[in-house]
Amino acid sequence: MIRSDASESVVDTTNCDREPIHLPGAIQPHGCLLAFSLKARTLTHWSSHADQWLGVAPRGGESLAEFFTPTAVARLTALADDRPGIVHPLGGPILRTGAPRQAADAAAHVWSDALIVELEEGPPDGRGLAPDNLSLPRRLSLANQHFQASSTPDGLYDAIVREVREISGYDRVMLYRFLKGGHGAVVGEAVDPRFGSFLGLHYPATDIPQQARQLYVLNPIRSIADVNAEPVVLRSVNPLSSPPLDLSFSAFRAVSPIHVEYLQNMGVAASMSISLVIDGELWGLIACHHYSPRVLTFDRRAACEMLGTLAGPYLTTRLDSEAGKLQATRRSLLTEVMHDVASRPDFRDGLRDRAPQLRRVLDADGVVFCRRHDSLPFGQTPSETVVRAIEKRLADHPDAVWSTDVLGEEFPDLAEDLSGVAGCLAVATEASDLSAVIFFRGEYAREVRWAGEPTKVETPTAEGGRLSPRHSFAEWRDTVRGQSIEWSASDLVLASEVRLALIELLSRRAANIARLNDELSRINSDLSSFAYAASHDLREPLRGLNQAIFLLRRELHPAPTPQLEDRLVAIEQLAGRMDDLVGGLLRLARAGSSDLQYDHFQLDEVAREAAEMVLGRPIRSDVDLQIQEGVPVSGDFLCVRELLTNLIDNAIKYNRSDRIAVSIGVEEAANHSAGAGRGAMVFVVEDNGIGIAPELQKDVFQIFRRLHLPGEFGGGTGAGLAIAKKVVERHGGRIWIESGSDGGSKLLFTLSPNPTEDEEIE
Amino acid sequence: MNNSPPTVFVLEDSDLDFELQTLAIRELVPEARIVRASDCCNAPKSFEEIQPSLIVIDVDLPSCNGLAFLEKMRKSQSVSAPVVVFSTSTDASNESRALSAGADQYCVKPVAAAAYLQAVRSFASPYLAVGG
C-alpha cells in the first residue's frame, strides 16, 4: 500500500525521487482511456484494448462524435472549457450505439492540454452503498455524525477507518500518519479479523518517494484494482513526437513494477489511498488493502474521497483541541508557579520549592537555573560542563530558545557527562542572577516496530544498484537510543512563556532591589546626619553644663561640706563622661559621612602618624611598637589613620603588661577564610593586652559597648571599635578579632571587597 | 590717648559664656567696661558712643548669624576696633568667612571652662593693655 508506483522498471537510489510516475504510458486493464487534444477535440491517445470497448479500433485524429452520443459530445465540449484537474462524472451510456461493452460509468477531466475520457464497468454489487444500501448523501451524513461524535484524536482515527471500510469494503483500512523525518506510523486500523493487525507499525520514509507525496497532494485518491493484472499500454497518434500523456488525475494510471512487487511482497492484491491534507501539507493517508482484486465504482471512490476531505478539518480540530487542552493545563500551572515565586521574599527559595511544578509545565525530567558562576540543578540533569556547553550554544542562538532531543549528537565529546539525559530545551533570561533556564528530558529508549526492516534493498547490477522493494514485511523491532521525547510546538510555546515570565519577575525584582537600595542609602544618610546633628547639638548644653559646674565650684569654694564636694566631683565626672561619649558619636558620624578620598600610601607611613597621635612624639618609652614596612595600602588616608588610631588606642588602653607591645602588619589571607576571601590583603594589629573572650568578640564593635567598668583601663568611650568598623566597611572590607598568640588580641581587617563573593539569587 | 578703662563689646546669647568671658576680661582688666548684646537686633546701631577696644562676636545667635552681623558692621561703619569671632564651630569655612569679613582672629571656644578662660585671656590681652 505504501510504496507508490514508479514509471520505470529500473531505478537507482540517485533518481528514485525523480521518477516521472505520473507519466507511466499505460493504464490498468479494468478501464478504458481515450484522450483528445483540448483544442482540436481529436483523438491523440487511447488504451490499446479500446477496440474491445468500442467494437472498432480507434484511429488517431478522430473527433468526439466518432465515439460518443450527441448528448455526451455536448457535455464533453462544455466541460472542456472547465478548470483542469476536475473529474466530471458522465452517467449513463455515452458510447455510440454498436459498442460491444457499454460502459456503465464514465468520467472525464481536463489536464495538461488533454481532454481525458475514462470508461469503466458497472458496479457488480448494485447501485447502493453496501452493506446498508444507503444513498451516498445519507452514507456521508452518517459518517459525518460518527466523526462529530468522536471527541479525541484516537476516537476520530478509529471512526475514519471504520467509515471508509464500510463504504469501500476493503479487507484492511489504515490511517497512516507522517511523523518527523518523513517516516510514518499506522495510528488507526479497521481490518477483517482474518488478517493480522498493522496498528502501531512504522514505515520508513523511503517507502513513499517525494514525487508520490506531491501527487497525493494534487490528486487525493489513487486506486489499484488488481496488482497482478497486466497493464494496458497507451497508443498515441504520433508515438515519436507527441509528449507522454500526463495521468496525474487518471483513475486507471498504471502501477510501477517496483510498487507492484512491493504490494505482492505484502500479499496485497488491490489497494486504494486517500490523502489527508491539512494546511496544504500531506498529514497522512487513508490506506486500503484488499487481498483479492477489487474494483470500486466511481460512486464509492468519490464517497471515500469525500470522507478523506471531510476528515481533514475534524483532524485539525481534534488535534488542536487536544494540544490546546494540554497547553491550557500547563499554562495554568505555570501561572500558579510564577505567582508563588513572585510572592516569595527570596527568589531562589521560590524557584527551589517550585522546581518540580516548573518541570511539569514542560514535561521535563530536570531543570537547571543557570547563574553567572554556578547553577542550581533540580531533578535529572547532566553535569555542569554540559550545562555550560548548552548555555554557550544558547548564546549563539538569536531566538533565546534552543532545543534538541539528541544531546549526545550535539555534544559528542560530552557523552560521558550526560547522566542519562538526552533532550534539552534552553531559554535565555539574560540576567546576572539568572542567565538561563534549561529543561532536560531523560533518554527515551523506545522500541519502534517497523513493518519490515526499514532499509532499501539494493540488488547489484552491471550498471549500479537496482533498487528493489523490501521483501520481508515481518515485524522488525528497532530500539532507539540516545533520544528523548521530542519537544513539541506546545513545549516551545510554553518555554517562551516561562522565559517571559521569569524576565518580568527578574526585572520587577531588580526594580524592587533598586528601590530598597535607594531607601537604605537614604536611611543611612539620614542616620548619619542625625548622629552628626545629635552629637553636635548635644555638645552645646554639655558645654553649658561644664561651664555651670565650673562657676558653681568657684562660687562654692571651698566646699561647705565634704558631701557637697563629692556631689560636685560626681557631676563633673558624669559631664566629662558624657562629653567623651558625644565626642565619640561625633567622630563615628564623621567616619560614616564624608566621601572617601582614595589614595595609595604605605602602611608604615599611616601607622606611624596614627601611633604618634596616640602615643605622642617621640613614642612613649614603655611601648614597643613594630610596624611592617613596604606594605602598600589603598584607601582614604585620614580614615585609615583614624581607624589605626582607634586600634592602637585600644591596644594600649586594655593592657596590663609592663612593656606594652603593639605590632602592625599584614598576614596571608589564606589563613583567614572566616573573614576574608582569596585575594584580599589582611591587616593585623596585635597587642599583648588583656585579650577579648571569644564569646564577646562580636559585641565589641557595637557603639558604646564596653566590656569593663568605666573606671578601669582609663575609661574608654566605647566608640573606638565602632568607628574602626565603620571605616573598614566604608572601604568595603571586614574587621574581626582573633585571640593573640600570647593572650593579647589580634584585630584583623581588610580594606577591599572580597572578590570571590557575589550577591546573586537571594 | 585717654586713660579711661577699655570697653569690650560682646555679642553673645549664652549667659554662661558671657559670664566666663566677663570673668576672664576682668581678670586682665578689673575695671574694664563690658557691653553685651544677646542678639543682633539689640546690638547698637552705632559704636560711636561705646568706642570699644575689642569686639567679641559669637556665630550662632538666636535670630541672626554673627558673621553676617560682622560683614554688615564692617561695610556700614568705620569701626576700627579689633574683632574676635569666638565660636564653638570648628568648621573651616566659618573661620575663612570671618577673616575675610574683617575679623582679626577666629577662636574656637574650648569645652573645658579653665581652657575657655585661658582662651579669652589670650585673645583679649593684646587689645586691653592697661592704659592702651
Side-chain angles (χ1 to χ4, degrees), chain A residues 43 151 156 170 177-178 209 243 255 273 306 409 470 569 606 619 688 725-726 733 743 747 756:
Chain A
L43 189 69
S151 55
L156 181 63
Y170 280 100
R177 180 178 183 177
F178 289 109
V255 191
S273 308
M306 282 294 295
E409 284 176 25
R470 308 203 317 257
V569 169
V606 66
I619 304 265
N688 60 346
K725 183 164 185 263
K726 189 92 181 179
L747 265 290
T756 59

Side-chain angles (χ1 to χ4, degrees), chain A residues 366-393:
Chain A
V367 61
V368 170
F369 302 102
C370 300
R371 305 194 292 162
R372 211 174 348 150
H373 300 300
D374 62 352
S375 54
L376 303 170
F378 298 97
Q380 190 185 2
T381 57
S383 76
E384 179 80 12
T385 321
V386 176
V387 169
R388 293 299 164 195
I390 292 169
E391 239 199 313
K392 198 158 170 291
R393 186 72 61 91

Side-chain angles (χ1 to χ4, degrees), chain B residues 93-114:
Chain B
S93 68
N94 274 341
E95 180 173 356
S96 60
R97 187 178 162 197
L99 295 179
S100 62
D104 294 80
Q105 209 182 323
Y106 184 93
C107 186
V108 177
K109 289 174 177 173
V111 175

Side-chain angles (χ1 to χ4, degrees), chain A residues 222-239:
Chain A
R222 164 75 174 138
S223 64
I224 299 165
D226 183 358
V227 165
N228 300 309
E230 202 55 42
V232 175
V233 295
L234 289 182
R235 303 212 186 285
S236 73
V237 63
N238 191 343

